Amino acid sequence: MQETTKTKNRFRLAAREFRTLSSLAGASMMTALNVVLSFFTLRLSELLKVGFSFLAVAATGFLYGPLLGAAAGGVGDIIKYLIHPDGPYFIGFTFNACLSGFLYGLYLYKKPVKLWRAVCAKLTVSLVINLVLNPLFLSILYGKAFVLISTVRLTKQLVMFPVDTALLYGMLRLLERVRVRQAGGPFSR
């Protein structure tokens, strides 16, 4: 019962982030960073890319919650497509971007930074989005076999998971330190 109340309160706080100008400005800057980082994505094939723009989406979820994280993820996906179309537009990928921001916010918002939490957040995103939904949408879009796409992406996820998790955890630790300093005022150490 108490956990349900905490979850409801966390979602109420997350919904209030939409009414705070500083939260909207911060989420907008993270969305811009998401777009900029997408330009440094390595395209290995038509179906396989390696990038780090997920860090901006995760930071938005961590700082502003699952709701603003989802909105920023979706807006960032649409802006990336408008600036640099990479194949036909498919709403499923925008849904994935929203879901990614939501999941990072769900695991990280208003919670202390722990390695296990970063691992769980990245693992959930990797399993649900990168290994199930993305291959499903790519198979629908390009007519390729789901199993073939999943196999290629599984190899990439196995290689990149430790790297992505380490980057995510390091970024979260940095953001936590910055947030603690800001809470203490401009002269706190």
Side-chain angles (χ1 to χ4, degrees), residues 19-30:
R19 292 185 264 162
T20 307
L21 185 59
S22 62
S23 297
L24 292 174
S28 298
M29 290 185 347
M30 287 294 136

Side-chain angles (χ1 to χ4, degrees), residues 165-175 177:
T165 304
L167 288 170
L168 176 62
Y169 181 66
M171 180 203 62
L172 292 172
R173 293 289 309 258
L174 181 66
L175 287 173
R177 276 189 287 203

Side-chain angles (χ1 to χ4, degrees), residues 3 7 30 43 46 56 77 80 84 118 127 145 151 155 167 176:
E3 186 62 36
T7 303
M30 287 294 136
R43 188 176 174 90
E46 180 182 63
D77 182 72
K80 287 188 280 190
H84 187 263
L127 291 175
T151 304
T155 305
L167 288 170
E176 185 177 51

Side-chain angles (χ1 to χ4, degrees), residues 150-165:
S150 293
T151 304
V152 171
R153 293 175 89 62
L154 177 62
T155 305
K156 176 207 165 202
Q157 289 302 310
L158 289 173
V159 171
M160 291 302 297
F161 181 77
V163 174
D164 289 349
T165 304

Side-chain angles (χ1 to χ4, degrees), residues 47 135 139 143-155:
L47 303 174
S139 69
K144 308 270 185 192
F146 175 81
V147 174
L148 174 69
I149 296 170
S150 293
T151 304
V152 171
R153 293 175 89 62
L154 177 62
T155 305

